Each structure stands twice: as structure tokens, then as C-alpha cells.
């Protein structure tokens, strides 16, 4: 779900066998806890203790690094009783620091379907999170110079109705932050968050990406670079873009369509921290058809259904204002 808080989940006295992340089955991977950003999902198997001597507590922490700390609000602690016997005491464990916990880590996981690392890379795209001023004078986050915003003609209809021009970013309004992908190309996205306080949650529609590397934006930082060193990197569709860090992920552009990519943190998504993948528009034009009912609905509402983002159609479709 879209949310303001990140989540930490632990069940002391038990090992979590992670078997799935964001809908992708994984090889079993042992962890002591889950540290999840908004939009992430995990499935785990927990083996119950044989003894009924103690009960246990499932510990859940809601936290946000960019919201001021406030007792009872940030962080927020929840404890769910795990009852082995109604008369047994709850086992107490010493408090340990986060860096001592073996958190589930996608860079240490592998998918069950054994899909190999996508290579060679055909297209490397770098996107920087920036702070820009909105029309109301508010500081908001964006990928590049424009906050994402809707346009008169949805980008899917632009991709389907502008012929060869659909392969040009010029027919898509700048606020769509449109990136054109060629069919079946291997694409590496490098998302960079130079801010030192604000974290983000990158979520992809249309693809589960391979997670290949994380590291510091500033080369002088003490934050370590972490790379996947195996042959079959884990895939998922949501990942934390930590403060002062970058992530590199890979996809194969084998799913023609227009795919919304966004921050899953609620306020950031609403304010426009998003971009659009326009994937294989030439293939879309041959294989996709918009239902007539949808086109008729647009006409009833007075929305154009063809042309560039502004509804311009003809010899010059580069004016999207």
C-alpha cells in the first residue's frame, strides 16, 4: 500500500525463511527480520518451536526517517502475542541494534525460476531525484525538472495514434517524464537520491526488475557499494531508494505498454515523483487495441483520444503545450 511509514518486522526466537518478494518466488533465504518500504511484500515460512515453555512476541515497528521523532507516533511500536500455551510467560530478549539484525536482503536472494542476469545492457538510464518548486511555491520531489502531471491525451493513446512519431519523446509532454524503450532491449535504470535526509520507495508497474547494485551517490561517502555477484539476481517491483544513495535495476523491455513508475510514499506519489516508460510503441500499434467503449467514454467527457499529449495531430506534433 501507499504509506508514509517504513516497516520492520521481527519474531525473536524464530528464523524467517523468505520464499517470495513482491510476487516473485525465491530460493529459501534465512533472515531474522524484514525491513520494508511502502509497497513491498514478503512471504515467509516460520518453523514453530517444539517447546511450550514460552510464548513470544511479533514485533512491528513503523518508522520514518524524514518525519520528526515523536513518542507514540514516530516510531510506533506494535507487539502481537504468539501464544504457545495460555499459561506460559512471554520470553524476554535483550534489545539489539538494527545493524546486528540479519535483515532480508534482495541482493543476497535468488529467484526460484533461476532467470539469469540480463546482459548485455542496451540502454542505461540515469534518473536523479530533485527538489523543485511547485506552481503553489511548495518544495516537492521530482525525477528531473518536472513533477509528473496528467495531460489531455493519456500517453497510451499518444503512443497508439502518432505513428512513427511515437518513438520520439517530443510528442509526450515534459511532465510525463517519458522514456522510450526499444522492444526486447535490456535496460538498466540507475535511480539516484542525492538528498541526505529523505528516503523514497520506487515502485514499477509492468515489470519486476532485477536488483543489481546499491551504493552512495557521493563517492566520498562511507556507505558501502553492494553488488549482486551471482548469476541469478532477485527480482521485485519495489525497492527503497535510501537517502544519499542510488540503486541500479534491470528489466527486459518485453512487455509493450505505457508503464507508470513512481514513489510509493504517499505524499511523494501525489506530488509527482514519477516517470513513464513508453515501451515499444511500434509493437503496441500492431498488437494493442483500445476498447471502443473507452474511446466513447473519453468523447463524452470531451477528452481527445489521439495525437500528442496536447491533442495535436498532423504534420507538427512536437508542440505539447
Amino acid at each position: 500500500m501507499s504509506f508514509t511509514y517504513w516497516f520492520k518486522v521481527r519474531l525473536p526466537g524464530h528464523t524467517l525463511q523468505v520464499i517470495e518478494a513482491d510476487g516473485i518466488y525465491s530460493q529459501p533465504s534465512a533472515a531474522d527480520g524484514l525491513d520494508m518500504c511502502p509497497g513491498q511484500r514478503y512471504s515467509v515460512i516460520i518453523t514453530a518451536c517444539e517447546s511450550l515453555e514460552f510464548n513470544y512476541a511479533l514485533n512491528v515497528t513503523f518508522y520514518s526517517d524524514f518525519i520528526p521523532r515523536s513518542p507514540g507516533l514516530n516510531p510506533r511500536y506494535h507487539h502481537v502475542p504468539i501464544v504457545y500455551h495460555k499459561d506460559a510467560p512471554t520470553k524476554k530478549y535483550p534489545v539489539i541494534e538494527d545493524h546486528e539484525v540479519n535483515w532480508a536482503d534482495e541482493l543476497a536472494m535468488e529467484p526460484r525460476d533461476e532467470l539469469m542476469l540480463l546482459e548485455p545492457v542496451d540502454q542505461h538510464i540515469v534518473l536523479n531525484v530533485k527538489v523543485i518548486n511547485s506552481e503553489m511555491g511548495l518544495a516537492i520531489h521530482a525525477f528531473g525538472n518536472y513533477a509528473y502531471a496528467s495531460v489531455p491525451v493519456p500517453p497510451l493513446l499518444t503512443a497508439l495514434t502518432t505513428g512513427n512519431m511515437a518513438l520520439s519523446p517530443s510528442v509526450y509532454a515534459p511532465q510525463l517524464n517519458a522514456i522510450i524503450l526499444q522492444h526486447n532491449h535490456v535496460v538498466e535504470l540507475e535511480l539516484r537520491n542525492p538528498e541526505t535526509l529523505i528516503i523514497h520507495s520506487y515502485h514499477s508497474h509492468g515489470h519486476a526488475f532485477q536488483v543489481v547494485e546499491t551504493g552512495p551517490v557521493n563517492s566520498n561517502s562511507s556507505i558501502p557499494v553492494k553488488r549482486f555477484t551471482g548469476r541469478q539476481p532477485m527480482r521485485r517491483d519495489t525497492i527503497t531508494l535510501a537517502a544519499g544513495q542510488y540503486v541500479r535495476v534491470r528489466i527486459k523491455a518485453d512487455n509493450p505498454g505505457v508503464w507508470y513508475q513512481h514513489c510509493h510514499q504517499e505524499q511523494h506519489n501525489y506530488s509527482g515523483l514519477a516517470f513513464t516508460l513508453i515501451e515499444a510503441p511500434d509493437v503496441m500499434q500492431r498488437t494493442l487495441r483500445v476498447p471502443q467503449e473507452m474511446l466513447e467514454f473519453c468523447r463524452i467527457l470531451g477528452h481527445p483520444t489521439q495525437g500528442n499529449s496536447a491533442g495535436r495531430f498532423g504534420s507538427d506534433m512536437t508542440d505539447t503545450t
Side-chain angles (χ1 to χ4, degrees):
M1 64 180 177
S2 183
F3 201 47
T4 303
Y5 291 92
W6 270 238
F7 311 81
K8 290 177 181 174
V9 180
R10 293 187 61 227
L11 181 53
H14 301 73
T15 298
L16 311 181
Q17 288 291 339
V18 182
I19 61 168
E20 174 266 335
D22 298 350
I24 304 297
Y25 286 112
S26 67
Q27 302 291 352
S29 176
D32 296 328
L34 308 174
D35 189 356
M36 297 183 288
C37 64
Q40 283 189 327
R41 295 88 68 202
Y42 281 105
S43 295
V44 302
I45 294 175
I46 300 173
T47 301
C49 300
E50 294 185 3
S51 171
L52 303 181
E53 181 180 4
F54 293 104
N55 296 324
Y56 298 84
L58 177 70
N59 301 324
V60 180
T61 303
F62 290 4
Y63 72 99
S64 182
D65 289 343
F66 54 88
I67 296 176
R69 292 181 66 88
S70 176
L73 292 177
N74 183 39
R76 292 160 56 185
Y77 300 103
H78 300 268
H79 305 284
V80 180
I82 306 298
V83 179
Y84 279 78
H85 191 280
K86 64 182 180 63
D87 296 324
T90 299
K91 190 166 185 177
K92 305 296 183 183
Y93 286 89
V95 176
I96 62 174
E97 300 295 329
D98 278 359
H99 68 268
E100 301 177 272
V101 178
N102 175 31
W103 300 105
D105 181 2
E106 52 272 304
L107 282 168
M109 297 169 60
E110 294 190 348
R112 188 173 178 181
D113 61 13
E114 300 182 342
L115 182 67
M116 302 294 287
L117 174 67
L118 295 170
E119 54 185 353
V121 172
D122 298 301
Q123 188 175 3
H124 180 80
I125 299 164
V126 177
L127 290 162
N128 288 283
V129 176
K130 294 183 178 181
V131 178
I132 64 174
N133 290 322
S134 70
E135 293 181 356
M136 299 177 62
L138 300 175
I140 59 175
H141 296 88
F143 284 111
N145 297 322
Y146 296 94
Y148 187 94
S150 61
V151 292
V153 179
L156 176 62
L157 297 181
T158 293
L160 290 174
T161 63
T162 52
N164 291 335
M165 287 295 291
L167 292 164
S168 170
S170 64
V171 299
Y172 305 96
Q175 63 265 36
L176 294 175
N177 295 317
I179 298 171
I180 314 297
L181 305 183
Q182 300 296 318
H183 189 46
N184 282 329
H185 273 193
V186 172
V187 181
E188 183 171 86
L189 294 168
E190 181 176 326
L191 307 173
R192 302 173 66 85
N193 181 20
E195 293 188 277
T196 57
L197 295 177
I198 306 298
I199 55 178
H200 301 288
S201 174
Y202 166 59
H203 177 67
S204 173
H205 291 266
H207 287 278
F209 46 73
Q210 293 184 335
V211 184
V212 296
E213 185 175 308
T214 66
V217 171
N218 186 341
S219 59
N220 296 324
S221 171
S222 60
I223 298 171
V225 174
K226 296 172 60 178
R227 296 186 179 92
F228 179 78
T229 57
R231 301 170 60 198
Q232 300 152 356
M234 188 58 193
R235 303 192 308 283
R236 65 183 321 157
D237 61 28
T238 311
I239 193 169
T240 291
L241 182 53
Q245 297 190 43
Y246 68 85
V247 298
R248 286 181 183 167
V249 300
R250 291 184 187 179
I251 62 172
K252 185 174 183 179
D254 56 2
N255 190 18
V258 174
W259 302 114
Y260 184 57
Q261 315 286 300
H262 64 97
C263 180
H264 225 292
Q265 201 273 3
E266 192 169 20
Q267 292 92 333
H268 297 167
N269 182 27
Y270 292 158
S271 63
L273 183 53
F275 61 98
T276 315
L277 297 180
I278 312 294
E279 185 171 337
D282 51 340
V283 177
M284 275 193 272
Q285 291 173 12
R286 298 196 304 269
T287 59
L288 298 184
R289 294 293 179 270
V290 177
Q292 187 61 39
E293 295 87 348
M294 181 178 291
L295 297 175
E296 184 61 27
F297 186 64
C298 290
R299 292 190 182 97
I300 291 172
L301 294 177
H303 297 318
T305 58
Q306 64 178 352
N308 69 5
S309 293
R312 303 182 192 282
F313 192 83
S315 59
D316 184 9
M317 291 184 286
T318 61
D319 183 1
T320 60
T321 58

